């Protein structure tokens, strides 16, 4: 269960990209860089998967890591969500159920 | 030795700023976190990384050696290539020399993140285990990607035959 605080929403808004991770064939995981849009009402992310993306073996155990480059750190900030993928009307949605706030973001 | 890869794949690996290391957690969920490649062997395709000895990533790899490494633009000012490359492979942890083993490959990390060399003393004070690091080696099984980041086209795929 995620508590949708203003801090969390700001972190989502400040992220420039996402990496979707899921189980692929042969036991190998897959990671894909995606742009995303967040629906604050429905609390889910709409995604556009690339052409020819590897088969999704398990849509129930998926994560999405939001990323942004931090010029002060000269490194990437990250925010991992865990959840599931669903497809509706030809669009993929990531529905998060858990978020891990990294230590440097905790107050 | 692996077959010669398309030039854009070498470009993506050598010139990307960070990459995303995708490992599978104890709950069987793949998760991607940013890391710096330390070294890439173009003859074998082996990728080298390091992680603090207490990092969960190491336990993930020991439990589930199939991993993936994603190269794509991070948005750094370094002029990264637009290519998107996913390398799937088998990873192994080498923790035989936590103090010094990883230093053999540190120059590759520092080339991508110049501040890393200066920050090591501070990081080791903030996180005492930070400089006790295990090496992770990834032997590739498949290279899959989209040159120039053209995600609307079918990906190019190179299978590694051994």
């Amino acid at each position: 269960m995620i508590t949708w605080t203003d801090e969390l929403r700001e972190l989502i808004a400040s992220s420039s990209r996402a990496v979707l991770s899921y189980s692929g064939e042969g036991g190998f995981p897959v990671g894909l860089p995606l742009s995303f849009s967040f629906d604050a009402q429905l609390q889910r992310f709409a995604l556009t998967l690339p052409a020819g993306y590897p088969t999704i073996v398990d849509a129930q155990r998926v994560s999405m890591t939001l990323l942004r480059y931090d010029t002060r750190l000269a490194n990437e900030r990250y925010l991992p969500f865990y959840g599931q993928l669903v497809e509706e009307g030809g669009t993929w949605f990531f529905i998060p159920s858990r978020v891990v706030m990294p230590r440097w973001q905790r107050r | 030795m692996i077959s010669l890869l398309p030039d854009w794949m070498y470009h993506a690996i050598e010139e990307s700023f960070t990459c995303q290391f995708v490992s599978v957690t104890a709950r069987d969920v793949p998760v991607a976190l940013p890391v710096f490649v330390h070294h890439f062997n173009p003859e074998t395709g082996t990728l080298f990384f390091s992680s603090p000895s207490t990092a969960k990533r190491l336990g993930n790899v020991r439990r589930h050696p199939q991993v993936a490494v994603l190269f794509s633009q991070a948005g750094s000012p370094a002029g990264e290539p637009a290519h998107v490359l996913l390398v799937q492979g088998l990873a192994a942890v080498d923790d035989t020399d936590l103090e010094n083993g990883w230093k053999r490959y540190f120059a590759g990390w520092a080339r991508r993140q110049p501040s890393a060399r200066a920050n090591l003393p501070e990081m080791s004070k903030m996180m005492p285990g930070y400089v006790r690091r295990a090496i992770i080696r990834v032997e590739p099984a498949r290279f899959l990607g989209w040159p120039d980041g053209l995600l609307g086209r079918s990906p190019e795929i190179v299978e590694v035959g051994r």
Side-chain angles (χ1 to χ4, degrees):
Chain A
M1 182 84 177
I2 296 176
T3 302
W4 294 95
T5 61
D6 288 343
E7 179 186 6
L8 180 56
R9 293 179 195 277
E10 284 169 12
L11 286 171
I12 292 171
S14 69
S15 298
S16 57
R17 69 193 193 114
V19 173
L20 178 71
S21 301
Y22 58 85
S23 295
E25 293 176 320
F28 289 102
V30 175
L32 299 174
L34 306 174
S35 55
F36 64 93
S37 63
F38 178 62
D39 186 326
Q41 295 284 81
L42 295 177
Q43 295 167 354
R44 65 182 190 178
F45 297 83
L47 308 173
T48 302
L49 270 63
Y53 62 88
T55 301
I56 300 170
V57 168
D58 184 354
Q60 303 304 308
R61 291 195 182 97
V62 173
S63 71
M64 195 170 85
T65 305
L66 298 189
L67 298 156
R68 69 178 175 89
Y69 179 75
D70 186 317
T71 52
R72 187 179 61 85
L73 281 183
N75 203 342
E76 286 196 286
R77 298 274 196 186
Y78 59 90
L79 184 65
F81 287 87
Y82 294 87
Q84 60 180 351
L85 280 177
V86 296
E87 189 179 11
E88 288 179 14
T91 299
W92 282 100
F93 295 93
F94 173 74
I95 301 175
S97 56
R98 190 165 68 94
V99 64
V100 180
M101 299 289 281
R103 288 195 195 120
W104 43 263
Q105 290 169 337
R106 290 182 188 146
R107 292 178 187 162
Chain B
M1 186 182 297
I2 63 171
S3 301
L4 189 67
L5 300 174
D7 179 67
W8 71 266
M9 291 191 179
Y10 296 113
H11 188 197
I13 293 169
E14 293 287 13
E15 300 298 327
S16 292
F17 175 63
T18 54
C19 59
Q20 306 302 316
F21 192 99
V22 189
S23 63
V24 179
T25 69
R27 297 184 187 181
D28 286 333
V29 184
V31 64
L33 294 177
V35 297
F36 289 97
V37 169
H38 294 16
H39 180 65
F40 168 66
N41 184 323
E43 294 192 345
T44 63
T46 309
L47 294 159
F48 294 77
F49 307 86
S50 71
S51 287
S53 61
T54 55
K56 286 185 181 176
R57 178 181 304 125
L58 300 182
N60 291 350
V61 168
R62 290 187 180 105
R63 192 185 318 108
H64 189 113
Q66 292 103 325
V67 300
V69 182
L70 174 69
F71 296 90
S72 59
Q73 286 182 317
S76 76
E80 302 169 89
H83 312 310
V84 174
L85 177 65
L86 181 71
V87 183
Q88 294 176 308
L90 292 176
V93 174
D94 177 356
D95 58 2
T96 54
D97 184 357
L98 297 177
E99 298 291 337
N100 297 304
W102 61 277
K103 294 176 183 176
R104 198 186 303 269
Y105 306 105
F106 177 63
W109 170 5
R111 174 172 66 82
R112 290 175 169 83
Q113 189 192 31
S115 59
R117 198 177 294 280
N119 288 344
L120 270 182
E122 183 182 344
M123 290 300 295
S124 64
K125 285 180 192 171
M126 287 169 54
M127 297 169 58
Y130 187 76
V131 291
R132 285 176 52 80
R133 306 178 69 89
I135 297 167
I136 301 175
R137 293 188 179 87
V138 179
E139 301 293 341
R142 180 181 305 114
F143 296 82
L144 176 155
W146 294 263
D148 298 314
L150 296 175
L151 299 179
R153 299 182 181 174
S154 294
E156 292 186 24
I157 302 174
V158 176
E159 301 280 351
V160 175
R162 293 189 186 273

